[in-house]
Structures are given as C-alpha cells and as structure tokens.
Amino acid sequence: MVNWLINNWLELFGVVSTIVYLTLSIRQSIWLWPLGALSSGLYTAVYFTNKFYADMGLQVYYLIISIYGFIAWKTHKEQKGEELRISSPTSKQWIMLSLATIAIFIFLHWLLSTFTDSPIPTGDAFTTALAITATWMLTRKMIEQWLIFIVADGVSAVLYSTKEMYLTTGLYVIYTIMAIAGYIKWRKARLEMGIVKL
C-alpha cells in the first residue's frame, strides 16, 4: 500500500483537488477556478506519463480558461453588482459550439493519429473536444455544460479503466455522478429564479 501511494501520489493529489474543484463548481463558487488551475498542473504530469496526450494538452487549456473564468466571474460581479446568473446558449451559440466541438475533435484525432503513439486517439479526441466546449460554457454559467460533462466523464471513466488508471477511473465515475448532481442543483436554482426553460 505504501509503495503504491509513493508511486501514485501525483494522481492521488490530482483526484482530491479535482473533487474539490467540482464541489465548488456545483456551489457556483468563484474559487473553483484557482482549484482548477492546481488540478490541471498535477494532471499534466499524470496524463503525460500514461500517454493521454490530448488530455495532457487539455490541461494547458484548463489553466488558461481557469484564469479567464476567474476574471469573467469577478468582473461581472464588480460591474453588475451581482453574481453571474445561470443561463442557456442561444440557438446561434449552440450552432457555434457544435461546429467548434466537431472541428476540435477532427483536429485532435488527426494530430493524435499522425504524431503520437496514443492507443485510443478517437476516444481521447472525443472526450477532450467535449471537455473544451463544456469548460468554456462553465465560464458563462451555461447549465447545459453539465450534460456535456456527464457524457465526457462517463466515456473517460471507461477509457482510463483500459489503461488500469484505477484512481482516475474512480474519479471520473464520481465526476459523472457529481455532474448529474450539479445539473439538478443548477436546474433547481434556475427554477427558483423563475426561469423555466432549461
């Protein structure tokens, strides 16, 4: 057990920080963004070691988007005098988000298949593209980001189990469950604001 902890301490800390990050996200706390940055740094090393290159690159995006998200939420509160409200994408935004996700998937699949030894380029590209889109939606507090994360996290759990990354597999099972809880809680909060369209 001790040897296992020594060999997997980075993954363990990544799991803990990510669970805290998601808990803060469900609570709509602005401090989710600094935790997201910390988690990204830890998982960059974990994914590199296990050859999940798209996920490794995703951590760089997470670091940048964490800074953006923190500034966006903070600026909105300072300028409007209230927290950023939960919303949904417009029809135009849905089209743009869908096209962007497809383009990211195609690019990442080509990149992984051509330049890396990734054993699962399709799955890796798919979950990464979804996560990129959903995280941007989180910076705008779009409730549907939870639904996208449910899919991405569920598929990720299966992929990590094939690499025997059991801590991370467990994390993504928890992540999927918490994404469901996040959607339910945000939906309830929206209903309480008198917004019935979800």
Side-chain angles (χ1 to χ4, degrees):
M1 181 65 175
V2 174
N3 286 335
W4 184 88
L5 288 173
I6 291 173
N7 292 329
N8 295 276
W9 68 271
L10 199 59
E11 186 179 359
L12 179 61
F13 278 109
V15 168
V16 172
S17 64
T18 302
I19 290 175
V20 175
Y21 157 82
L22 186 53
T23 301
L24 293 174
S25 179
I26 292 173
R27 295 179 179 178
Q28 302 179 54
S29 170
I30 194 172
W31 298 108
L32 75 94
W33 298 115
L35 256 295
L38 172 63
S39 176
S40 296
L42 293 170
Y43 263 98
T44 297
V46 171
Y47 289 138
F48 177 77
T49 301
N50 289 278
K51 298 182 179 181
F52 279 91
Y53 300 116
D55 282 328
M56 182 188 73
L58 180 61
Q59 301 312 307
V60 177
Y61 167 78
Y62 278 155
L63 179 59
I64 295 170
I65 206 72
S66 291
I67 296 170
Y68 170 76
F70 183 82
I71 293 172
W73 285 28
K74 187 172 185 293
T75 301
H76 184 276
K77 185 174 183 179
E78 290 174 349
Q79 292 180 348
K80 306 291 185 180
E82 64 179 8
E83 302 287 344
L84 184 65
R85 291 190 173 204
I86 299 170
S87 64
S88 286
T90 63
S91 297
K92 182 178 179 180
Q93 286 175 322
W94 268 126
I95 292 171
M96 296 304 294
L97 289 168
S98 298
L99 291 175
T101 304
I102 292 169
I104 292 167
F105 168 75
I106 292 171
F107 172 73
L108 289 176
H109 189 275
W110 169 78
L111 196 67
L112 292 169
S113 300
T114 307
F115 298 106
T116 77
D117 57 349
S118 173
I120 43 173
T122 301
D124 201 0
F126 175 72
T127 56
T128 301
L130 289 181
I132 287 173
T133 299
T135 306
W136 182 86
M137 292 172 70
L138 176 58
T139 69
R140 310 314 307 157
K141 274 196 180 178
M142 294 176 174
I143 190 172
E144 289 82 2
Q145 56 95 12
W146 290 115
L147 300 177
I148 296 173
F149 270 126
I150 290 169
V151 175
D153 295 338
V155 173
S156 292
V158 175
L159 296 179
Y160 295 134
S161 68
T162 65
K163 292 288 290 183
E164 299 183 356
M165 295 171 61
Y166 299 122
L167 266 180
T168 303
T169 298
L171 168 67
Y172 274 84
V173 170
I174 294 171
Y175 222 45
T176 303
I177 294 169
M178 292 182 77
I180 294 169
Y183 176 75
I184 293 171
K185 185 166 184 177
W186 280 33
R187 183 177 185 275
K188 182 180 179 182
R190 259 195 120 184
L191 289 171
E192 289 173 353
M193 291 189 299
I195 303 172
V196 296
K197 183 181 179 181
L198 299 174

